Amino acid sequence: MSVGAKTVLLVPSLAGTRIDLGSIERTFEVTVIAADDLFFIQEGTIVVSDPALDELRYRLGLGEDTPPNSFRMTGDHWAICFEKNRIVLADAIGMWYLAEFLSRPGRTLNPVELENARTGIAARSSTSGTGEAFDEDARREYKRTLADISARIVEAERNNDAGTLETLQTEQYEILSQLQKDTGKNGKARVLTDESKSRKNVRQAVNRDIKRIAEHHAEFAEHLKIAFKGNAMCYRPDADPNWEF
């Protein structure tokens, strides 16, 4: 199908695929759209999805010059657009958590509530011991994050950037507070509560899928590495990408 000088390739579905649509579209000079993204059945009638139609219009140059940043679940895959580049990835646990964080930028989410919402399984007792609060990944992440924040604080002070300085100091305080909670008087890691274990589960699932995203969209993966604060359970970008879902 052709629209003006553009060729549109309508495929039945992109569900379950892990392809780099941007690369295919650039190589073959086509715009790919999945029929099950564009149409759905409502009360026995085939209806066009307005968000999918808007996205197609953007990609064909028939709307605004810049397509919106979007993170949408369609069928059993995620259609993602970030800084004009679009990818499709199969569903996974970390993707579900990412959607929750991206939809509430700047907010600290409770990891136990996140796990409960995803699985439908009620929380265990908050006093049940399940292991040590620190694993090696968490130790390295705390150390790397605190070093990065310290360097950025020095830069903000040098530039007299009061707004950035306040944000960084708040983030530093949150991390140090969490460390204090997780560390006993002897300096060793406390025994995990359910919240600590849930935080680890959510953090690891998200980080796994950030690595998967990096295989198809390096810029988006880098954005998430910086903006997703795994220990603080928060997505805090420097500038709100105004995600559409």
Side-chain angles (χ1 to χ4, degrees):
M1 176 174 66
S2 295
V3 178
K6 303 281 187 176
T7 299
V8 178
L9 179 60
L10 183 66
V11 299
S13 176
L14 290 170
T17 60
R18 296 180 57 187
I19 60 175
D20 183 348
L21 279 182
S23 177
I24 292 175
E25 291 179 337
R26 288 190 296 272
T27 300
F28 297 99
E29 297 182 347
V30 298
T31 298
V32 181
I33 185 72
D36 60 357
D37 283 350
L38 192 56
F39 306 103
F40 63 96
I41 297 177
Q42 185 177 62
E43 297 179 354
T45 302
I46 297 176
V47 180
V48 177
S49 166
D50 288 335
L53 190 60
D54 287 342
E55 183 179 343
L56 178 59
R57 188 174 65 250
Y58 286 128
R59 293 165 62 197
L60 293 173
L62 302 176
E64 299 177 14
D65 292 337
T66 303
N69 293 318
S70 58
F71 197 94
R72 295 182 176 125
M73 180 67 173
T74 303
D76 60 355
H77 69 280
W78 292 88
I80 303 165
C81 183
F82 181 71
E83 295 186 349
K84 301 182 182 181
N85 293 327
R86 182 174 180 261
I87 59 173
V88 174
L89 290 179
D91 189 21
I93 294 173
M95 301 294 284
W96 189 92
Y97 288 136
L98 272 175
E100 293 297 304
F101 283 108
L102 267 56
S103 67
R104 290 174 278 184
R107 288 184 54 183
T108 297
L109 305 186
N110 184 299
V112 175
E113 292 178 0
L114 280 173
E115 277 201 316
N116 291 346
R118 188 188 65 81
T119 63
I121 300 174
R124 299 176 299 277
S125 166
S126 62
T127 58
S128 63
T130 53
E132 288 190 334
F134 291 140
D135 58 14
E136 287 306 312
D137 288 341
R139 291 179 190 274
R140 284 193 293 268
E141 186 176 349
Y142 274 129
K143 184 176 179 179
R144 178 190 62 77
T145 301
L146 286 171
D148 177 64
I149 291 173
S150 296
R152 294 169 67 189
I153 285 176
V154 170
E155 183 179 357
E157 289 175 338
R158 185 168 55 244
N159 295 333
N160 294 318
D161 187 345
T164 299
L165 181 61
E166 182 179 357
T167 299
L168 291 171
Q169 288 174 334
T170 299
E171 185 175 344
Q172 184 184 57
Y173 173 79
E174 289 176 353
I175 293 175
L176 291 174
S177 296
Q178 187 62 51
L179 276 170
Q180 186 176 14
K181 290 179 183 178
D182 289 346
T183 305
K185 293 181 180 180
N186 58 2
K188 294 183 179 180
R190 294 184 186 276
V191 173
L192 279 169
T193 64
D194 288 326
E195 182 173 334
S196 299
K197 185 174 182 180
S198 293
R199 179 181 292 106
K200 177 181 176 181
N201 292 342
V202 173
R203 186 186 72 234
Q204 289 182 338
V206 170
N207 287 337
R208 278 196 302 270
D209 277 334
I210 290 177
K211 291 180 180 178
R212 190 159 63 103
I213 288 169
E215 298 174 6
H216 305 280
H217 198 324
E219 292 81 3
F220 182 36
E222 187 62 26
H223 168 81
L224 292 173
K225 287 177 185 177
I226 296 171
F228 174 63
K229 317 298 182 182
N231 292 314
M233 288 288 101
C234 182
Y235 167 68
R236 189 181 292 119
D238 291 335
D240 189 352
N242 296 312
W243 290 103
E244 293 188 3
F245 298 89

